[in-house]
Amino acid sequence: MSLSDITSRVAAAERAADRPVGSVQLVAVSKVQPNERVESVLQAGQRCFGENRVQEAAGKWPDFKEAFSDVDLHLIGPLQSNKARQAMELFDTIQSVDRPKLAKAIARLAQELGQCPDLFLQVNTGKEVQKAGILPEDTDAFVAECRGLDLPVKGLMCIPPVEEEASLHFALLAKLAKRNDLAGLSMGMSSDFEKAIALGATHVRVGSAIFGARVKPEG
Ligand SMILES: *Cc1c(COP(=O)(O)O)cnc(C)c1O
């Protein structure tokens, strides 16, 4: 697969769902990819990227941002509160706000920095013990809490359990977003982004289908 194959498949899925072409943001997930691959995807015109580790992103994206000024960088992995400042300075969107403690840290820093990235709240739709995210039944209260902190909450994000039918999780996330008046829905990865688009995804996070298999283990 190449970037253009994936953008064509995104457009086809948008049309199949009667949604305007261009309404879904493709987030190219560049974690653990060699810089040459990231650079060639930048050269091909892609500007929105996802990374799951602050440290790794801080090592490569400042230089890319200088070369390609309109880069739009999304954090899609777990964020420790003590890395929140660095993340807020580097990322345009943080998709992995997953607990009240982190929301409070971001709110405090937003005051201090005078700016805040767009935020998505991560929902643990499968209620997996090892996975980050707010539980579905706690989502309404968490959205309200974040709004009370004046945070720019744009949407919800989920990573469904690998062994379950993703569509059920996408539908649940869409329902939670709708009832909280949130327009953003980050769901769908390489293996299931078309299903996610059919169910209303506004952001799909696609890594290996664009870049090929990750060369290093995620660790
Ligand atoms: C790695 C990752 C992706 C991309 O996964 P692929 O299967 O390679 O498309 C999407 N979302 C998150 C949160 C990830 O960590």
Side-chain angles (χ1 to χ4, degrees):
M1 288 280 145
S2 69
L3 178 66
S4 65
D5 294 323
I6 300 303
T7 53
S8 309
R9 283 172 59 189
V10 168
E14 289 169 329
R15 279 192 292 270
D18 274 325
R19 301 180 53 191
V21 169
S23 57
V24 176
Q25 175 77 68
L26 174 64
V27 183
V29 178
S30 49
K31 66 186 181 199
V32 308
Q33 297 292 351
N35 282 350
E36 310 82 70
R37 283 197 201 161
V38 180
E39 174 137 27
S40 71
V41 170
L42 279 159
Q43 296 288 5
Q46 176 70 20
R47 287 296 178 271
C48 182
F49 290 82
E51 287 282 346
N52 72 337
R53 288 171 192 274
V54 177
Q55 222 52 51
E56 184 189 337
K60 61 183 171 192
W61 281 101
D63 285 349
F64 282 142
K65 279 190 169 191
E66 239 170 69
F68 301 88
S69 61
D70 47 351
V71 158
D72 177 23
L73 198 58
H74 291 228
L75 179 64
I76 60 172
L79 177 58
Q80 294 170 310
S81 299
N82 64 7
K83 297 227 175 86
R85 175 192 294 271
Q86 193 183 9
M88 290 171 73
E89 287 169 344
L90 181 62
F91 290 93
D92 303 288
T93 298
I94 297 176
Q95 293 200 4
S96 46
V97 180
D98 58 0
R99 58 196 192 280
K101 183 180 176 228
L102 177 61
K104 286 183 195 125
I106 291 174
R108 207 178 337 103
L109 287 160
Q111 289 289 320
E112 190 188 318
L113 301 170
Q115 48 140 20
C116 189
D118 286 345
L119 303 177
F120 283 61
L121 309 184
Q122 184 174 348
V123 182
N124 186 356
T125 56
K127 303 191 182 191
E128 295 171 280
V129 284
Q130 79 282 11
K131 202 165 270 174
I134 207 84
L135 293 174
E137 59 267 34
D138 297 334
T139 301
D140 296 354
F142 190 42
V143 172
E145 180 175 1
C146 291
R147 285 180 169 148
L149 291 166
D150 269 335
L151 292 175
V153 181
K154 304 296 180 181
L156 302 179
M157 181 271 242
C158 76
I159 309 169
V162 278
E163 69 285 1
E164 288 182 26
E165 173 52 51
S167 294
L168 300 174
H169 295 272
F170 298 158
L172 171 60
L173 196 71
K175 186 175 100 179
L176 293 170
K178 182 155 190 237
R179 89 174 176 225
N180 283 287
D181 278 317
L182 289 168
L185 270 179
S186 174
M187 56 192 199
M189 316 202 301
S190 289
S191 58
D192 53 21
F193 67 88
E194 283 134 327
K195 280 183 198 169
I197 291 170
L199 289 164
T202 60
H203 294 66
V204 292
R205 309 179 307 269
V206 181
S208 41
I210 294 174
F211 292 100
R214 285 182 276 278
V215 289
K216 281 185 276 173
E218 274 165 59

